[in-house]
Amino acid sequence: MSHDFDYDYFVIGGGSGGVRSSRIAAAHGAKVGIAEGKHWGGTCVNVGCVPKKFFTYAADYRPSFDDAEGYGWRAENISFDWQKLINNKNTEIKRLNAIYDDLLGNAGVTRYEGYAAFKNAHTVIVNGEEITANKFLIAVGGTPRSPFYEGAEYTHNSDDMFALPTLPKRIVIEGGGYIAVEFAHIFHGLGCDVTITYRKAPLIKSFDTDIAQFLTSEMEKQGITLKLKTNIEKIEKNESLSVTLDNGDVIDCDVVLSAIGRIPHTNNLGLENITLDQTSNEQIKINDDYQTSMPHIYAVGDVSNKINLTPVAIAEGHILADRLFGTSEERQANFDNIPTAVFSNPQIGTVGLSEEQARDKGYDAKTYQSTFKPMRHALSGRDEKTMMKLVIDIKTDKVIGAHMCGADAAEMMQGIGIALQCGATKADFNRTIGIHPTSAEEFVTMK
Ligand code: NDP
């Protein structure tokens, strides 16, 4: 290790990727510093996965109250307290922030609370202090993309949703991706009038088309208003907000959430003082060793041009620390079959290839599909269905894609993901005995 620098490894960004990488590097004996400008734990813990899941749980209660009546319950005088949800969520997140801070401290990582900016290739400035390091990791994540149209200043982004002072009565959500459909479920579940505007159709277009169309129609059935193949033209502020679409429709609402993707959070990082190759979307280009175009500067997570998911950033940060400072075998991860979920209603769980991707990749693919009313709704009376789909490579009989839109899809797909890692065939699925009565058993009985 070099003794000419303050640190062997300096990590910029205390989110999922940065925290894991700095802890592991320190455990391997490196002298490690880390800078975080806002909150330990980054997007996932503070304004992403974690609070989103709390809000999702809150939203899930409402249909459950209705469902329970079919089972003999009578749920009367139900009320919802937005401020209580926000306060309880904040308390839990403060606890998690402290845990992250402790984990770093216990690992012997020196923490800096402030934004770091490169002064030159081996120096960053944090809160006016110059810090040098032999190697750097950029793990600064992403930030919501801002829209550009008249009145764009009246929009909120997903970060803002976790601290809204009051629950809106009417909300317009712009976008058709993960964040748009998840917040549509949250606000619909909490009793708001929800409209989604999306420039294409169906929603969540990047998923298997059958699953995307199924979710789109289930959401519409619940009473979420969909304005597909439309763009927002302008927003005007009177007593409320008036959103004008390019098809001439005008929607009055209290809040507009713009969820049109995220961009790397690279501003104020001093990138003008070093030379890193970036994509046209400002993502930092990295090679298979997480190395940027400057070999001693690395990047992982949402700031890079790889997959943008928390568990991916954690795995990348861990592998990188093992490679740079470890002596034994590095952490293994397969980034090919990454199970993922969308916490919409119904949920989506997916792993492997969609039918379209399989055909694009040249597979001779066969699909199995099942749409059914889950047993729970036999008595609840709720008109909600579940869809499952398997994509099979005819040549090998291997299951190369598994997709579900229905209750508990996220929980189910982790196990199916292991099966795909092991190269399970449709015959393997068929000879697995189902768990009865569950929705999951449908995955092993599809004919
Ligand atoms: P997504 O990339 O999922 O979706 C962005 C949406 O915005 C798309 O529908 C896109 O349309 C639309 N869009 C993009 N640019 C414009 C524009 N200029 N005008 C109008 N619409 C536009 O991004 P999200 O913001 O929903 O989420 C960001 C990332 O966060 C995700 O990619 C995911 O990696 C991560 N995430 C993961 C979650 C999970 O794992 N459950 C949950 C939430 C976020 P089009 O389809 O036409 O391109």
Side-chain angles (χ1 to χ4, degrees):
M1 302 279 167
S2 167
H3 295 288
D4 300 325
F5 300 106
D6 298 327
Y7 293 101
D8 300 316
Y9 191 45
F10 195 83
V11 175
I12 306 174
S16 305
V19 167
R20 175 62 69 90
S21 199
S22 54
R23 280 175 48 208
I24 301 300
H28 286 312
K31 187 174 179 204
V32 184
I34 184 170
E36 166 56 44
K38 216 172 189 177
H39 25 220
W40 295 110
T43 300
C44 174
V45 169
N46 295 279
V47 285
C49 331
V50 173
K52 179 274 304 287
K53 193 79 188 281
F54 289 138
F55 281 18
T56 304
Y57 284 132
D60 285 342
Y61 277 101
R62 206 179 70 130
S64 300
F65 293 132
D66 298 338
D67 291 353
E69 296 208 0
Y71 286 88
W73 291 96
R74 183 166 279 182
E76 285 169 343
N77 300 324
I78 291 165
S79 65
F80 173 71
D81 183 344
W82 171 253
Q83 203 52 54
K84 183 164 186 178
L85 173 64
I86 298 278
N87 291 346
N88 288 350
K89 179 265 295 177
N90 288 345
T91 304
E92 176 59 14
I93 286 177
K94 266 203 195 105
R95 191 182 74 82
L96 295 174
N97 294 145
I99 287 175
Y100 269 71
D101 196 19
D102 283 353
L103 282 172
L104 289 166
N106 294 340
V109 178
T110 306
R111 284 98 77 214
Y112 294 82
E113 294 192 348
Y115 286 99
F118 280 98
K119 183 184 175 196
N120 58 47
H122 281 282
T123 312
V124 288
I125 301 179
V126 186
N127 299 328
E129 184 183 343
E130 290 198 5
I131 299 163
T132 61
N134 190 21
K135 292 186 165 66
F136 288 90
L137 172 62
I138 301 175
V140 295
T143 188
R145 173 184 284 131
S146 301
F148 294 98
Y149 38 69
E150 189 186 328
E153 67 273 23
Y154 301 124
T155 62
H156 285 82
N157 61 36
S158 55
D159 292 1
D160 305 328
M161 292 299 106
F162 298 109
L164 282 181
T166 52
L167 180 67
K169 285 197 169 58
R170 301 158 302 171
I171 183 165
V172 169
I173 301 178
E174 178 189 28
Y178 280 81
I179 294 180
V181 299
E182 290 186 345
F183 273 108
H185 164 46
I186 288 167
F187 286 109
H188 179 68
L190 298 181
C192 314
D193 184 25
V194 178
T195 302
I196 295 183
T197 69
Y198 175 41
R199 62 186 181 180
K200 294 180 192 155
L203 299 171
I204 51 152
K205 257 187 113 285
S206 58
F207 287 72
D208 184 278
T209 301
D210 287 323
I211 294 285
Q213 280 168 345
F214 182 80
L215 176 70
T216 305
S217 67
E218 286 293 311
M219 288 177 70
E220 196 162 29
K221 213 160 72 183
Q222 292 161 12
I224 293 172
T225 306
L226 303 183
K227 301 280 182 186
L228 302 179
K229 299 184 182 167
T230 56
N231 287 291
I232 294 182
E233 216 163 64
K234 63 174 175 183
I235 302 175
E236 289 161 303
K237 190 171 163 57
N238 305 306
E239 275 127 64
S240 58
L241 298 173
S242 274
V243 181
T244 305
L245 305 181
D246 59 4
N247 65 359
D249 288 0
V250 179
I251 310 159
D252 288 325
C253 65
D254 309 303
V255 167
V256 179
L257 163 61
S258 182
I260 58 170
R262 294 175 62 84
I263 52 170
H265 194 194
T266 48
N267 55 337
N268 304 325
L269 198 54
L271 292 189
E272 63 283 6
N273 299 323
I274 54 175
T275 9
L276 293 189
D277 290 348
Q278 288 172 266
T279 66
S280 53
N281 292 331
E282 292 175 44
Q283 294 165 321
I284 294 177
K285 286 190 190 171
I286 52 171
N287 63 20
D288 289 342
D289 288 321
Y290 311 105
Q291 216 164 14
T292 69
S293 50
M294 295 184 85
H296 72 291
I297 301 180
Y298 299 80
V300 296
D302 290 7
V303 76
S304 76
N305 60 337
K306 296 276 162 86
I307 297 156
N308 287 188
L309 289 170
T310 293
V312 172
I314 293 172
E316 290 174 338
H318 195 134
I319 292 168
L320 175 62
D322 284 348
R323 276 187 201 167
L324 294 180
F325 304 105
T327 47
S328 52
E329 204 186 313
E330 72 180 37
R331 187 199 189 285
Q332 299 295 305
N334 181 347
F335 296 110
D336 284 339
N337 279 326
I338 298 175
T340 175
V342 185
F343 295 95
S344 47
N345 185 29
Q347 279 180 8
I348 288 180
T350 179
V351 58
L353 303 177
S354 65
E355 183 178 347
E356 298 76 27
Q357 286 168 333
R359 297 203 199 287
D360 287 350
K361 282 181 180 276
Y363 283 100
D364 192 5
K366 177 176 172 185
T367 64
Y368 293 82
Q369 199 164 308
S370 173
T371 303
F372 57 94
K373 185 172 190 165
M375 186 176 173
R376 171 189 291 264
H377 300 312
L379 299 197
S380 78
R382 196 188 331 168
D383 180 20
E384 181 184 300
K385 292 212 164 56
T386 289
M387 175 185 267
M388 290 177 176
K389 181 168 174 179
L390 291 175
V391 184
I392 315 295
D393 172 19
I394 292 176
K395 205 164 120 205
T396 60
D397 192 42
K398 277 192 181 164
V399 180
I400 51 174
H403 312 277
M404 173 174 174
C405 182
D408 305 317
E411 297 293 346
M412 253 178 253
M413 209 46 70
Q414 191 72 71
I416 307 261
I418 299 171
L420 264 66
Q421 289 290 344
C422 298
T425 59
K426 179 68 170 76
D428 292 325
F429 272 56
N430 291 350
R431 62 197 171 86
T432 304
I433 303 293
I435 301 173
H436 188 70
T438 62
S439 290
E441 67 181 320
E442 193 69 15
F443 268 123
V444 297
T445 55
M446 269 195 250
K447 292 284 180 306

